[in-house]
Amino acid sequence: MLIVLLSPPGSGKGTQSRRLVGRLKIPHLSTGDMLREAIRQKTKMDHDVADIIRNGQLVPDDLMVDLVDFRLRADDCGQGCLVDGFPRTLPQAQELDRRLAGRGRQVDLALELRVEREELIRRLLARSELEGREDDGRETIDRRMEIYRSQTSPLLDYYRRQEKLFSIDGMGSADEVFARICQVIDEYNATHRSDD
Ligand code: B4P
């Protein structure tokens, strides 16, 4: 099962993905983690990714698509993958679909975690205290939220039109949110097994 997780910064993408892959036994592909790791390893890239992330902007689409596509072609993703934080723009989603279709594959499910803006800000500021992530400062959070609104949220309609979108209440404790996600996935699996 190929799942994409689309949600605003601070909505719990990383938190829930780590739990979900333990249950589904599929790899977790977090583009944020991949980029941070590339920065740590000083991997040579065509763009100053560290600067882009520090400023809360989006890394260019061509780089992101190549990075994800390369990872998805690995053997361990053959039975599926949970892609967290990608796609983030319409061109990323369209190119992902095009490349997957070329291999007879597709995105099965797109999950959205819905969290109120004040709570998103609260979580990111709390993480900033704990982990000191450079993109969790107040001004950068606002920029990331605006980029989510203008560039990523149109993807909700893109997947809704394909009847793949499931929106989940992301408020409450991480355990509560996880239980809701599991319910959606269990229902999806039950329906799809009975379609076979
Ligand atoms: P990400 O790493 O994806 O950053 P994020 O949106 O903040 O999500 P993350 O998974 O880290 O946080 P979560 O909501 O789980 O991206 C970072 C940057 O990389 C982007 O800004 C961009 O520059 C670049 N990038 C990544 N993908 C890209 C793409 N496809 N195209 C272009 N650029 C890309 O958690 C946040 C906090 O909330 C945590 O501290 C967590 O503990 C807490 N939390 C979670 N759930 C909670 C709950 N239920 N209750 C209380 N706290 C909770």
Side-chain angles (χ1 to χ4, degrees):
M1 186 191 290
L2 185 53
I3 304 175
V4 296
L5 190 48
L6 323 154
S7 304
S11 55
K13 291 190 296 291
T15 308
Q16 297 300 333
S17 293
R18 284 185 280 277
R19 293 168 174 233
L20 204 50
V21 293
R23 189 175 197 259
L24 298 177
K25 308 273 183 275
I26 52 176
H28 173 205
L29 193 170
S30 157
T31 46
D33 287 351
M34 286 168 90
L35 292 169
R36 283 185 289 275
E37 183 57 21
I39 294 166
R40 254 190 305 273
Q41 303 274 346
K42 300 192 183 344
T43 308
K44 203 172 152 9
M45 287 184 274
D46 288 343
H47 307 272
D48 188 347
V49 171
D51 201 45
I52 294 172
I53 292 184
R54 194 178 309 116
N55 286 306
Q57 280 151 343
L58 293 183
V59 172
D61 290 336
D62 52 350
L63 173 59
M64 292 313 304
V65 172
D66 285 346
L67 202 65
V68 170
D69 188 46
F70 180 77
R71 183 65 189 87
L72 284 178
R73 280 188 274 119
D75 286 347
D76 66 330
C77 293
Q79 295 306 309
C81 185
L82 174 59
V83 187
D84 152 16
F86 179 95
R88 261 175 157 95
T89 65
L90 206 49
Q92 288 182 12
Q94 288 166 334
E95 184 59 17
L96 175 69
D97 279 355
R98 198 186 66 77
R99 293 195 191 191
L100 287 172
R103 303 196 286 275
R105 295 187 65 186
Q106 59 167 358
V107 170
D108 297 300
L109 271 177
L111 302 179
E112 176 204 13
L113 300 176
R114 290 194 166 183
V115 177
E116 290 163 15
R117 185 183 165 86
E118 290 68 29
E119 173 66 5
L120 296 173
I121 294 169
R122 195 194 64 72
R123 290 181 189 178
L124 292 171
L125 290 176
R127 181 169 69 184
S128 157
E129 297 270 307
L130 280 175
E131 299 175 19
R133 239 173 77 170
E134 284 185 292
D135 56 345
D136 283 341
R138 189 64 210 340
E139 238 178 76
T140 315
I141 291 174
D142 286 343
R143 189 171 308 126
R144 290 163 68 199
M145 299 271 187
E146 173 49 27
I147 289 176
Y148 180 80
R149 190 197 62 75
S150 59
Q151 300 203 45
T152 309
S153 69
L155 294 182
L156 300 174
D157 258 346
Y158 178 81
Y159 287 111
R160 191 176 289 119
R161 280 197 299 272
Q162 296 184 23
E163 299 183 6
K164 291 177 178 170
L165 180 73
F166 291 81
S167 297
I168 294 156
D169 177 5
M171 298 287 288
S173 71
D175 284 348
E176 288 167 339
V177 177
F178 185 59
R180 290 179 203 130
I181 297 175
C182 290
Q183 190 181 350
V184 164
I185 290 182
D186 289 348
E187 282 171 12
Y188 174 89
N189 280 333
T191 315
H192 283 253
R193 264 198 296 272
S194 61
D195 282 353
D196 289 342

Short mmCIF file of all heavy atoms in Angstrom, two decimals, residues 14-78:
data_model
loop_
_atom_site.label_atom_id
_atom_site.label_comp_id
_atom_site.label_asym_id
_atom_site.label_seq_id
_atom_site.Cartn_x
_atom_site.Cartn_y
_atom_site.Cartn_z
N GLY A 14 5.33 13.34 11.15
CA GLY A 14 6.45 12.50 11.56
C GLY A 14 6.07 11.60 12.72
O GLY A 14 6.35 10.40 12.73
N THR A 15 5.37 12.19 13.69
CA THR A 15 4.97 11.47 14.90
C THR A 15 4.11 10.25 14.54
O THR A 15 4.37 9.14 15.01
CB THR A 15 4.14 12.44 15.78
OG1 THR A 15 4.89 13.63 15.97
CG2 THR A 15 3.76 11.82 17.11
N GLN A 16 3.11 10.47 13.70
CA GLN A 16 2.20 9.38 13.36
C GLN A 16 2.83 8.40 12.38
O GLN A 16 2.57 7.20 12.46
CB GLN A 16 0.88 9.95 12.79
CG GLN A 16 0.11 10.81 13.77
CD GLN A 16 -0.28 10.05 15.04
OE1 GLN A 16 -0.45 8.83 15.03
NE2 GLN A 16 -0.43 10.77 16.15
N SER A 17 3.67 8.90 11.49
CA SER A 17 4.29 8.01 10.51
C SER A 17 5.14 6.95 11.21
O SER A 17 5.10 5.78 10.85
CB SER A 17 5.19 8.78 9.56
OG SER A 17 4.44 9.62 8.77
N ARG A 18 5.89 7.40 12.22
CA ARG A 18 6.76 6.44 12.92
C ARG A 18 5.95 5.32 13.55
O ARG A 18 6.36 4.18 13.59
CB ARG A 18 7.63 7.18 13.95
CG ARG A 18 8.78 7.95 13.28
CD ARG A 18 9.72 8.60 14.27
NE ARG A 18 9.19 9.85 14.79
CZ ARG A 18 9.28 11.03 14.18
NH1 ARG A 18 9.90 11.14 13.03
NH2 ARG A 18 8.76 12.12 14.73
N ARG A 19 4.76 5.66 14.05
CA ARG A 19 3.91 4.63 14.65
C ARG A 19 3.30 3.73 13.57
O ARG A 19 3.24 2.51 13.70
CB ARG A 19 2.75 5.28 15.41
CG ARG A 19 3.23 6.04 16.62
CD ARG A 19 2.12 6.90 17.17
NE ARG A 19 2.58 7.50 18.41
CZ ARG A 19 1.93 7.42 19.55
NH1 ARG A 19 0.77 6.80 19.63
NH2 ARG A 19 2.41 7.97 20.63
N LEU A 20 2.85 4.38 12.52
CA LEU A 20 2.12 3.65 11.48
C LEU A 20 2.98 2.62 10.76
O LEU A 20 2.52 1.52 10.45
CB LEU A 20 1.56 4.69 10.50
CG LEU A 20 0.35 4.29 9.69
CD1 LEU A 20 -0.75 3.71 10.56
CD2 LEU A 20 -0.16 5.51 8.94
N VAL A 21 4.23 2.97 10.50
CA VAL A 21 5.06 2.00 9.76
C VAL A 21 5.36 0.78 10.63
O VAL A 21 5.53 -0.32 10.11
CB VAL A 21 6.37 2.61 9.21
CG1 VAL A 21 6.06 3.62 8.12
CG2 VAL A 21 7.23 3.23 10.30
N GLY A 22 5.36 0.98 11.94
CA GLY A 22 5.53 -0.17 12.85
C GLY A 22 4.36 -1.13 12.70
O GLY A 22 4.51 -2.34 12.76
N ARG A 23 3.19 -0.59 12.48
CA ARG A 23 1.99 -1.43 12.37
C ARG A 23 1.86 -2.03 10.97
O ARG A 23 1.51 -3.19 10.81
CB ARG A 23 0.77 -0.57 12.69
CG ARG A 23 -0.52 -1.33 12.82
CD ARG A 23 -1.60 -0.37 13.26
NE ARG A 23 -2.76 -1.05 13.78
CZ ARG A 23 -3.87 -1.23 13.08
NH1 ARG A 23 -3.94 -0.81 11.84
NH2 ARG A 23 -4.90 -1.83 13.62
N LEU A 24 2.13 -1.22 9.94
CA LEU A 24 1.91 -1.69 8.57
C LEU A 24 3.09 -2.47 8.00
O LEU A 24 2.97 -3.10 6.96
CB LEU A 24 1.60 -0.49 7.65
CG LEU A 24 0.35 0.33 7.98
CD1 LEU A 24 0.23 1.52 7.03
CD2 LEU A 24 -0.89 -0.54 7.90
N LYS A 25 4.21 -2.36 8.69
CA LYS A 25 5.45 -3.04 8.24
C LYS A 25 5.84 -2.63 6.81
O LYS A 25 6.10 -3.47 5.94
CB LYS A 25 5.30 -4.58 8.31
CG LYS A 25 4.81 -5.09 9.66
CD LYS A 25 5.97 -5.32 10.61
CE LYS A 25 5.56 -5.88 11.94
NZ LYS A 25 5.13 -4.89 12.95
N ILE A 26 5.79 -1.33 6.58
CA ILE A 26 6.29 -0.78 5.32
C ILE A 26 7.31 0.31 5.66
O ILE A 26 7.27 0.85 6.78
CB ILE A 26 5.16 -0.21 4.41
CG1 ILE A 26 4.27 0.79 5.19
CG2 ILE A 26 4.33 -1.32 3.81
CD1 ILE A 26 3.19 1.46 4.35
N PRO A 27 8.20 0.64 4.73
CA PRO A 27 9.18 1.68 5.04
C PRO A 27 8.55 3.07 5.18
O PRO A 27 7.49 3.34 4.60
CB PRO A 27 10.13 1.66 3.83
CG PRO A 27 9.83 0.42 3.09
CD PRO A 27 8.42 0.04 3.40
N HIS A 28 9.24 3.91 5.94
CA HIS A 28 8.83 5.30 6.15
C HIS A 28 9.77 6.20 5.37
O HIS A 28 10.98 6.18 5.62
CB HIS A 28 8.92 5.60 7.66
CG HIS A 28 8.68 7.04 8.02
ND1 HIS A 28 9.19 7.60 9.17
CD2 HIS A 28 7.98 8.02 7.41
CE1 HIS A 28 8.81 8.87 9.24
NE2 HIS A 28 8.09 9.15 8.19
N LEU A 29 9.20 6.96 4.46
CA LEU A 29 10.03 7.88 3.68
C LEU A 29 9.62 9.31 4.05
O LEU A 29 8.55 9.77 3.66
CB LEU A 29 9.76 7.59 2.20
CG LEU A 29 10.65 8.14 1.12
CD1 LEU A 29 10.29 7.50 -0.21
CD2 LEU A 29 10.56 9.63 1.02
N SER A 30 10.43 9.96 4.86
CA SER A 30 10.14 11.35 5.24
C SER A 30 11.07 12.26 4.46
O SER A 30 12.30 12.19 4.64
CB SER A 30 10.36 11.54 6.75
OG SER A 30 10.61 12.91 7.04
N THR A 31 10.50 13.11 3.62
CA THR A 31 11.38 13.98 2.82
C THR A 31 12.10 14.98 3.71
O THR A 31 13.26 15.32 3.45
CB THR A 31 10.59 14.69 1.70
OG1 THR A 31 9.38 15.22 2.23
CG2 THR A 31 10.29 13.75 0.57
N GLY A 32 11.45 15.42 4.78
CA GLY A 32 12.12 16.33 5.71
C GLY A 32 13.34 15.65 6.32
O GLY A 32 14.45 16.22 6.35
N ASP A 33 13.17 14.41 6.78
CA ASP A 33 14.30 13.66 7.38
C ASP A 33 15.40 13.42 6.34
O ASP A 33 16.59 13.52 6.64
CB ASP A 33 13.84 12.30 7.93
CG ASP A 33 13.02 12.44 9.20
OD1 ASP A 33 12.95 13.56 9.76
OD2 ASP A 33 12.42 11.42 9.63
N MET A 34 14.99 13.07 5.11
CA MET A 34 15.99 12.81 4.06
C MET A 34 16.82 14.06 3.79
O MET A 34 18.05 14.00 3.65
CB MET A 34 15.31 12.37 2.75
CG MET A 34 14.77 10.96 2.78
SD MET A 34 13.70 10.66 1.36
CE MET A 34 14.86 10.06 0.17
N LEU A 35 16.15 15.20 3.74
CA LEU A 35 16.87 16.45 3.46
C LEU A 35 17.78 16.82 4.62
O LEU A 35 18.93 17.20 4.42
CB LEU A 35 15.87 17.59 3.19
CG LEU A 35 15.06 17.45 1.90
CD1 LEU A 35 13.92 18.46 1.86
CD2 LEU A 35 15.96 17.64 0.67
N ARG A 36 17.27 16.66 5.85
CA ARG A 36 18.11 16.99 7.02
C ARG A 36 19.33 16.08 7.07
O ARG A 36 20.43 16.49 7.41
CB ARG A 36 17.28 16.93 8.32
CG ARG A 36 16.37 18.15 8.50
CD ARG A 36 15.65 18.13 9.84
NE ARG A 36 14.62 17.12 9.90
CZ ARG A 36 13.37 17.28 9.45
NH1 ARG A 36 12.99 18.43 8.95
NH2 ARG A 36 12.49 16.30 9.53
N GLU A 37 19.13 14.81 6.71
CA GLU A 37 20.25 13.86 6.71
C GLU A 37 21.28 14.26 5.63
O GLU A 37 22.49 14.21 5.87
CB GLU A 37 19.72 12.44 6.47
CG GLU A 37 20.75 11.32 6.51
CD GLU A 37 21.55 11.25 7.81
OE1 GLU A 37 21.09 11.77 8.84
OE2 GLU A 37 22.67 10.69 7.78
N ALA A 38 20.78 14.65 4.46
CA ALA A 38 21.69 15.06 3.38
C ALA A 38 22.50 16.28 3.82
O ALA A 38 23.69 16.39 3.50
CB ALA A 38 20.89 15.38 2.11
N ILE A 39 21.87 17.17 4.56
CA ILE A 39 22.60 18.36 5.06
C ILE A 39 23.66 17.92 6.06
O ILE A 39 24.82 18.35 5.99
CB ILE A 39 21.62 19.36 5.71
CG1 ILE A 39 20.67 19.93 4.66
CG2 ILE A 39 22.37 20.48 6.42
CD1 ILE A 39 19.47 20.67 5.23
N ARG A 40 23.28 17.01 6.97
CA ARG A 40 24.25 16.51 7.98
C ARG A 40 25.45 15.87 7.31
O ARG A 40 26.58 16.02 7.72
CB ARG A 40 23.56 15.51 8.91
CG ARG A 40 23.28 16.08 10.30
CD ARG A 40 22.84 15.01 11.28
NE ARG A 40 21.71 14.23 10.83
CZ ARG A 40 20.43 14.57 11.02
NH1 ARG A 40 20.12 15.67 11.66
NH2 ARG A 40 19.45 13.81 10.58
N GLN A 41 25.16 15.09 6.25
CA GLN A 41 26.23 14.35 5.55
C GLN A 41 27.00 15.25 4.57
O GLN A 41 27.86 14.75 3.85
CB GLN A 41 25.63 13.19 4.76
CG GLN A 41 24.82 12.20 5.56
CD GLN A 41 25.69 11.14 6.19
OE1 GLN A 41 26.85 11.00 5.83
NE2 GLN A 41 25.15 10.41 7.16
N LYS A 42 26.56 16.51 4.47
CA LYS A 42 27.16 17.45 3.52
C LYS A 42 27.11 16.92 2.08
O LYS A 42 28.07 17.06 1.31
CB LYS A 42 28.60 17.79 3.93
CG LYS A 42 28.73 18.42 5.31
CD LYS A 42 30.13 18.98 5.50
CE LYS A 42 30.48 19.58 6.82
NZ LYS A 42 29.52 19.95 7.79
N THR A 43 26.01 16.26 1.73
CA THR A 43 25.84 15.75 0.37
C THR A 43 25.78 16.93 -0.60
O THR A 43 25.07 17.90 -0.34
CB THR A 43 24.50 14.96 0.26
OG1 THR A 43 24.48 14.00 1.31
CG2 THR A 43 24.34 14.28 -1.08
N LYS A 44 26.51 16.80 -1.71
CA LYS A 44 26.53 17.89 -2.67
C LYS A 44 25.21 17.90 -3.46
O LYS A 44 24.80 16.89 -4.01
CB LYS A 44 27.72 17.70 -3.63
CG LYS A 44 28.15 18.99 -4.27
CD LYS A 44 29.43 18.80 -5.05
CE LYS A 44 29.58 19.76 -6.21
NZ LYS A 44 28.63 20.84 -6.34
N MET A 45 24.51 19.02 -3.46
CA MET A 45 23.26 19.13 -4.20
C MET A 45 23.28 20.42 -5.02
O MET A 45 24.04 21.33 -4.71
CB MET A 45 22.06 19.11 -3.24
CG MET A 45 21.81 17.72 -2.67
SD MET A 45 20.34 17.61 -1.63
CE MET A 45 21.00 18.12 -0.06
N ASP A 46 22.38 20.48 -6.03
CA ASP A 46 22.40 21.65 -6.91
C ASP A 46 21.87 22.91 -6.23
O ASP A 46 22.00 23.99 -6.76
CB ASP A 46 21.54 21.38 -8.16
CG ASP A 46 22.22 20.39 -9.08
OD1 ASP A 46 23.43 20.18 -8.91
OD2 ASP A 46 21.53 19.81 -9.94
N HIS A 47 21.21 22.75 -5.10
CA HIS A 47 20.60 23.92 -4.44
C HIS A 47 21.09 23.99 -3.00
O HIS A 47 21.50 22.98 -2.43
CB HIS A 47 19.08 23.78 -4.45
CG HIS A 47 18.52 23.53 -5.81
ND1 HIS A 47 18.18 24.54 -6.66
CD2 HIS A 47 18.27 22.37 -6.46
CE1 HIS A 47 17.74 24.02 -7.79
NE2 HIS A 47 17.78 22.70 -7.70
N ASP A 48 21.02 25.19 -2.42
CA ASP A 48 21.41 25.32 -1.03
C ASP A 48 20.23 24.91 -0.15
O ASP A 48 19.45 25.74 0.35
CB ASP A 48 21.85 26.77 -0.73
CG ASP A 48 22.44 26.87 0.67
OD1 ASP A 48 22.29 25.91 1.46
OD2 ASP A 48 23.04 27.91 0.99
N VAL A 49 20.10 23.60 0.02
CA VAL A 49 18.94 23.05 0.71
C VAL A 49 18.88 23.51 2.17
O VAL A 49 17.81 23.80 2.70
CB VAL A 49 18.98 21.50 0.60
CG1 VAL A 49 17.93 20.86 1.48
CG2 VAL A 49 18.77 21.09 -0.85
N ALA A 50 20.04 23.61 2.81
CA ALA A 50 20.06 24.02 4.22
C ALA A 50 19.43 25.42 4.36
O ALA A 50 18.62 25.66 5.26
CB ALA A 50 21.49 24.02 4.74
N ASP A 51 19.78 26.29 3.43
CA ASP A 51 19.27 27.65 3.49
C ASP A 51 17.76 27.67 3.22
O ASP A 51 17.00 28.39 3.88
CB ASP A 51 20.02 28.47 2.42
CG ASP A 51 19.96 29.94 2.72
OD1 ASP A 51 20.17 30.30 3.90
OD2 ASP A 51 19.69 30.72 1.80
N ILE A 52 17.32 26.86 2.26
CA ILE A 52 15.89 26.82 1.91
C ILE A 52 15.08 26.36 3.13
O ILE A 52 14.06 26.95 3.50
CB ILE A 52 15.66 25.86 0.71
CG1 ILE A 52 16.33 26.43 -0.55
CG2 ILE A 52 14.18 25.62 0.48
CD1 ILE A 52 16.34 25.48 -1.74
N ILE A 53 15.54 25.30 3.77
CA ILE A 53 14.80 24.75 4.92
C ILE A 53 14.81 25.75 6.08
O ILE A 53 13.78 25.99 6.72
CB ILE A 53 15.38 23.39 5.34
CG1 ILE A 53 15.08 22.37 4.24
CG2 ILE A 53 14.81 22.93 6.67
CD1 ILE A 53 15.51 20.98 4.54
N ARG A 54 15.99 26.32 6.33
CA ARG A 54 16.10 27.30 7.43
C ARG A 54 15.09 28.42 7.25
O ARG A 54 14.51 28.92 8.21
CB ARG A 54 17.53 27.86 7.44
CG ARG A 54 17.89 28.60 8.71
CD ARG A 54 19.32 29.10 8.71
NE ARG A 54 20.30 28.07 8.39
CZ ARG A 54 21.10 28.08 7.32
NH1 ARG A 54 21.04 29.06 6.45
NH2 ARG A 54 21.96 27.10 7.11
N ASN A 55 14.82 28.79 6.00
CA ASN A 55 13.89 29.88 5.73
C ASN A 55 12.44 29.42 5.60
O ASN A 55 11.56 30.24 5.32
CB ASN A 55 14.31 30.61 4.44
CG ASN A 55 15.53 31.46 4.69
OD1 ASN A 55 15.54 32.28 5.61
ND2 ASN A 55 16.59 31.22 3.93
N GLY A 56 12.21 28.13 5.75
CA GLY A 56 10.85 27.63 5.70
C GLY A 56 10.28 27.57 4.30
O GLY A 56 9.06 27.49 4.11
N GLN A 57 11.16 27.60 3.29
CA GLN A 57 10.66 27.55 1.91
C GLN A 57 10.69 26.11 1.39
O GLN A 57 11.18 25.22 2.10
CB GLN A 57 11.49 28.47 1.03
CG GLN A 57 11.02 29.89 1.21
CD GLN A 57 12.10 30.92 0.99
OE1 GLN A 57 13.28 30.60 1.02
NE2 GLN A 57 11.68 32.15 0.81
N LEU A 58 10.21 25.91 0.17
CA LEU A 58 10.19 24.56 -0.37
C LEU A 58 11.40 24.33 -1.27
O LEU A 58 11.78 25.19 -2.06
CB LEU A 58 8.91 24.30 -1.18
CG LEU A 58 7.61 24.27 -0.38
CD1 LEU A 58 6.44 23.94 -1.32
CD2 LEU A 58 7.67 23.24 0.74
N VAL A 59 11.95 23.14 -1.15
CA VAL A 59 13.06 22.72 -2.00
C VAL A 59 12.47 22.51 -3.41
O VAL A 59 11.32 22.05 -3.54
CB VAL A 59 13.65 21.41 -1.40
CG1 VAL A 59 14.68 20.79 -2.31
CG2 VAL A 59 14.23 21.71 -0.01
N PRO A 60 13.23 22.84 -4.48
CA PRO A 60 12.65 22.74 -5.83
C PRO A 60 12.09 21.35 -6.17
O PRO A 60 12.62 20.32 -5.76
CB PRO A 60 13.85 23.10 -6.73
CG PRO A 60 14.70 23.97 -5.89
CD PRO A 60 14.57 23.43 -4.49
N ASP A 61 11.01 21.39 -6.94
CA ASP A 61 10.26 20.17 -7.26
C ASP A 61 11.12 19.09 -7.93
O ASP A 61 11.00 17.91 -7.59
CB ASP A 61 9.11 20.52 -8.22
CG ASP A 61 8.02 21.33 -7.53
OD1 ASP A 61 7.91 21.25 -6.29
OD2 ASP A 61 7.28 22.04 -8.25
N ASP A 62 11.97 19.49 -8.89
CA ASP A 62 12.71 18.46 -9.64
C ASP A 62 13.62 17.66 -8.71
O ASP A 62 13.70 16.43 -8.80
CB ASP A 62 13.50 19.08 -10.82
CG ASP A 62 14.38 20.25 -10.40
OD1 ASP A 62 14.26 20.72 -9.24
OD2 ASP A 62 15.22 20.68 -11.21
N LEU A 63 14.26 18.34 -7.78
CA LEU A 63 15.13 17.65 -6.83
C LEU A 63 14.31 16.71 -5.95
O LEU A 63 14.68 15.55 -5.73
CB LEU A 63 15.88 18.69 -5.97
CG LEU A 63 16.70 18.16 -4.81
CD1 LEU A 63 17.77 17.19 -5.30
CD2 LEU A 63 17.37 19.31 -4.05
N MET A 64 13.17 17.20 -5.46
CA MET A 64 12.35 16.38 -4.55
C MET A 64 11.81 15.14 -5.26
O MET A 64 11.81 14.05 -4.70
CB MET A 64 11.17 17.21 -4.00
CG MET A 64 11.56 18.32 -3.08
SD MET A 64 12.75 17.87 -1.80
CE MET A 64 11.95 16.51 -0.99
N VAL A 65 11.34 15.32 -6.50
CA VAL A 65 10.75 14.18 -7.21
C VAL A 65 11.82 13.12 -7.46
O VAL A 65 11.59 11.92 -7.25
CB VAL A 65 10.09 14.64 -8.54
CG1 VAL A 65 9.66 13.44 -9.36
CG2 VAL A 65 8.89 15.52 -8.26
N ASP A 66 12.99 13.55 -7.88
CA ASP A 66 14.07 12.58 -8.14
C ASP A 66 14.45 11.84 -6.86
O ASP A 66 14.66 10.62 -6.87
CB ASP A 66 15.30 13.29 -8.71
CG ASP A 66 15.10 13.69 -10.17
OD1 ASP A 66 14.15 13.19 -10.79
OD2 ASP A 66 15.90 14.50 -10.67
N LEU A 67 14.52 12.58 -5.77
CA LEU A 67 14.90 11.98 -4.49
C LEU A 67 13.90 10.90 -4.06
O LEU A 67 14.26 9.78 -3.69
CB LEU A 67 14.93 13.11 -3.44
CG LEU A 67 15.72 12.95 -2.17
CD1 LEU A 67 17.21 12.87 -2.50
CD2 LEU A 67 15.48 14.16 -1.24
N VAL A 68 12.63 11.23 -4.15
CA VAL A 68 11.58 10.30 -3.72
C VAL A 68 11.47 9.13 -4.68
O VAL A 68 11.38 7.97 -4.27
CB VAL A 68 10.22 11.03 -3.59
CG1 VAL A 68 9.08 10.06 -3.37
CG2 VAL A 68 10.29 12.05 -2.45
N ASP A 69 11.52 9.43 -5.96
CA ASP A 69 11.37 8.37 -6.96
C ASP A 69 12.49 7.34 -6.83
O ASP A 69 12.26 6.14 -6.89
CB ASP A 69 11.36 9.01 -8.35
CG ASP A 69 11.02 8.01 -9.43
OD1 ASP A 69 10.06 7.24 -9.23
OD2 ASP A 69 11.73 7.96 -10.45
N PHE A 70 13.68 7.84 -6.60
CA PHE A 70 14.83 6.94 -6.44
C PHE A 70 14.59 6.00 -5.25
O PHE A 70 14.79 4.80 -5.34
CB PHE A 70 16.10 7.78 -6.21
CG PHE A 70 17.34 6.96 -6.02
CD1 PHE A 70 17.96 6.38 -7.12
CD2 PHE A 70 17.87 6.75 -4.75
CE1 PHE A 70 19.11 5.60 -6.95
CE2 PHE A 70 19.01 5.97 -4.57
CZ PHE A 70 19.64 5.40 -5.68
N ARG A 71 14.12 6.58 -4.16
CA ARG A 71 13.88 5.78 -2.94
C ARG A 71 12.74 4.78 -3.17
O ARG A 71 12.81 3.63 -2.72
CB ARG A 71 13.55 6.75 -1.79
CG ARG A 71 13.36 6.09 -0.44
CD ARG A 71 14.63 5.44 0.09
NE ARG A 71 14.35 4.65 1.28
CZ ARG A 71 13.96 3.37 1.26
NH1 ARG A 71 13.81 2.74 0.12
NH2 ARG A 71 13.72 2.72 2.39
N LEU A 72 11.69 5.21 -3.88
CA LEU A 72 10.53 4.33 -4.08
C LEU A 72 10.85 3.14 -4.99
O LEU A 72 10.16 2.13 -4.97
CB LEU A 72 9.35 5.12 -4.67
CG LEU A 72 8.58 6.02 -3.70
CD1 LEU A 72 7.48 6.78 -4.45
CD2 LEU A 72 7.97 5.21 -2.56
N ARG A 73 11.91 3.30 -5.80
CA ARG A 73 12.27 2.19 -6.70
C ARG A 73 13.07 1.11 -5.98
O ARG A 73 13.33 0.05 -6.54
CB ARG A 73 13.03 2.72 -7.92
CG ARG A 73 12.07 3.31 -8.95
CD ARG A 73 12.73 3.67 -10.27
NE ARG A 73 13.29 5.02 -10.22
CZ ARG A 73 14.59 5.29 -10.37
NH1 ARG A 73 15.45 4.33 -10.57
NH2 ARG A 73 15.01 6.54 -10.31
N ALA A 74 13.47 1.36 -4.73
CA ALA A 74 14.25 0.36 -3.99
C ALA A 74 13.37 -0.85 -3.65
O ALA A 74 12.15 -0.73 -3.51
CB ALA A 74 14.81 0.98 -2.71
N ASP A 75 14.03 -2.01 -3.52
CA ASP A 75 13.29 -3.27 -3.29
C ASP A 75 12.38 -3.22 -2.07
O ASP A 75 11.28 -3.77 -2.09
CB ASP A 75 14.30 -4.42 -3.10
CG ASP A 75 14.93 -4.81 -4.42
OD1 ASP A 75 14.41 -4.36 -5.46
OD2 ASP A 75 15.94 -5.54 -4.39
N ASP A 76 12.85 -2.58 -1.00
CA ASP A 76 12.05 -2.62 0.24
C ASP A 76 10.74 -1.85 0.11
O ASP A 76 9.86 -1.99 0.96
CB ASP A 76 12.88 -2.12 1.45
CG ASP A 76 13.24 -0.65 1.33
OD1 ASP A 76 13.38 -0.17 0.20
OD2 ASP A 76 13.37 0.01 2.38
N CYS A 77 10.58 -1.06 -0.95
CA CYS A 77 9.31 -0.34 -1.15
C CYS A 77 8.37 -1.10 -2.08
O CYS A 77 7.30 -0.59 -2.44
CB CYS A 77 9.58 1.06 -1.70
SG CYS A 77 10.43 2.13 -0.54
N GLY A 78 8.75 -2.29 -2.46
CA GLY A 78 7.96 -3.09 -3.40
C GLY A 78 6.55 -3.37 -2.91
O GLY A 78 5.59 -3.42 -3.67
#
